[in-house]
Amino acid sequence: MGFTPPTEEVALANLVFFGITILPVCYCFYMHRLNGIGPWLNGLIWNTLRLAGNGIAYKALVTTGLPNIITPLVLDGCGLSPFVIMCLAFMKECNVSILKDLPWWVGHWGLLIAHVLLIVGHAVGMAGLARPILLKAGFIVWISGWLYTGLMLGGSWFSAASKRRLPGEQILLYAATIAWPLVGVRLIYVTYDGYTYGFYDQGSISVQAVCGLLPEFLCMTIYLIAGIWTRHLSLDHQRLRREARAAKKQGKDFRDNRNGSASSSTGPLDKYSSRPGSGDLQKPAVVESVTRTVEV
């Protein structure tokens, strides 16, 4: 049995794992619908980039025996962005029912800040493949986005509105919380690699397996278990939207009825007030006749 370069074994492991998981990812993408488009679209991109990058690397190693470094590194590096954002996107889906009641730094603005940090950090880091100073700066911003994601997780757990979260949303929050430190292991490994070796030397096969493959495999497994478990969550979200629309319509109908009742109740008063008399209201004829009889 001949010598097998570590990168070939890593590429093969990635091909097998992500080739298998892309099918349940597509299933979750279909089942979770609109509110789940964030995590599962990123999961689909993550799978596709991993398959493409490692497929190119494995083919080069098998056919020529020489690794094709640049293209797989770029594709796998781009795949790290949806890998991190998927954890962040899980929080949006698990907070759908209470998003308006969360603090601003956990709600829409918090999601925007975290996305900007992660995307900008990754873009600057990938631009730094040719310029090491950009690589290091990008990793700092990238790690900041991951840390802010952890801050949002804490805000999601300890918010006063957290008790009103749907059961399916609670499962997704557990999944994001468990995956967050695993995402950190992968990011810290890549950052250390970039600072120490310039991103091109990723260490021995044992280091790559423990710090590279294992966190990603565990994260994807956790995400898929949570996604398949909560595959009917979109139905609960649709029910909430229907109830919100019904409550809004009921409130509008109530206001319209109240305004209509008020205007109809003043109708008889308008009839009397339109007649000439000593006051705003004219006395009924019976009362006037009784009064005249008493006076006589």
Side-chain angles (χ1 to χ4, degrees):
M1 190 172 184
F3 172 73
T4 304
T7 50
E8 183 177 339
E9 296 179 358
V10 170
L12 182 59
N14 273 295
L15 281 174
V16 172
F17 180 80
F18 287 105
I20 293 172
T21 57
I22 195 168
L23 294 177
V25 166
C26 291
Y27 173 74
C28 290
F29 179 71
Y30 172 76
M31 292 298 295
H32 282 253
R33 305 300 172 92
L34 182 63
N35 289 319
I37 194 171
W40 298 110
L41 179 59
N42 278 284
L44 190 59
I45 295 172
W46 175 20
N47 269 258
T48 304
L49 291 172
R50 279 288 178 268
L51 287 173
N54 288 281
I56 293 171
Y58 184 74
K59 181 180 178 182
L61 287 165
V62 170
T63 55
T64 66
L66 298 174
N68 183 354
I69 295 177
I70 300 301
T71 303
L73 273 179
V74 171
L75 289 173
D76 285 348
C78 291
L80 285 173
S81 182
F83 165 67
V84 184
I85 292 176
M86 195 171 178
C87 180
L88 178 64
F90 253 76
M91 282 196 297
K92 183 181 185 303
E93 189 177 5
C94 74
N95 287 330
V96 168
S97 63
I98 60 171
L99 192 59
K100 294 181 179 179
D101 300 321
L102 292 174
W104 68 268
W105 50 273
V106 182
H108 292 295
W109 283 106
L111 289 168
L112 179 62
I113 292 170
H115 274 93
V116 168
L117 288 172
L118 291 172
I119 293 172
V120 170
H122 179 263
V124 174
M126 291 307 297
L129 287 175
R131 299 179 62 184
I133 186 65
L134 288 179
L135 182 71
K136 295 177 180 180
F139 282 144
I140 291 173
V141 179
W142 204 12
I143 291 290
S144 300
W146 170 72
L147 290 173
Y148 191 86
T149 303
L151 181 65
M152 290 179 64
L153 273 171
S156 296
W157 275 113
F158 296 109
S159 171
S162 181
K163 296 179 180 179
R164 294 187 282 105
R165 188 179 280 111
L166 296 175
E169 293 176 340
Q170 195 79 10
I171 293 171
L172 295 182
L173 184 59
Y174 274 114
T177 304
I178 296 170
W180 183 77
L182 296 173
V183 172
V185 170
R186 184 73 172 95
L187 291 188
I188 292 170
Y189 163 61
V190 173
T191 302
Y192 174 79
D193 216 34
Y195 268 76
T196 307
Y197 304 109
F199 198 66
Y200 292 100
D201 182 4
Q202 298 186 18
S204 65
I205 188 171
S206 58
V207 173
Q208 291 184 56
V210 173
C211 298
L213 292 182
L214 188 60
E216 290 199 29
F217 289 2
L218 288 175
C219 278
M220 180 55 75
T221 303
I222 291 167
Y223 291 150
L224 286 176
I225 291 173
I228 294 173
W229 194 345
T230 60
R231 61 191 179 276
H232 299 303
L233 183 59
S234 62
L235 299 178
D236 295 332
H237 288 155
Q238 289 175 9
R239 176 179 55 80
L240 285 179
R241 285 193 291 270
R242 285 196 301 269
E243 291 175 354
R245 286 195 295 267
K248 186 176 180 180
K249 185 176 183 300
Q250 186 178 5
K252 183 177 181 299
D253 292 342
F254 175 75
R255 288 191 298 271
D256 292 343
N257 291 334
R258 187 176 60 182
N259 294 334
S261 300
S263 61
S264 62
S265 63
T266 59
L269 299 178
D270 294 338
K271 181 175 66 175
Y272 289 113
S273 62
S274 61
R275 298 176 184 175
S278 58
D280 292 335
L281 297 179
Q282 187 74 11
K283 295 180 181 179
V286 175
V287 175
E288 291 185 85
S289 61
V290 171
T291 304
R292 284 196 296 270
T293 303
V294 170
E295 290 174 350
V296 171

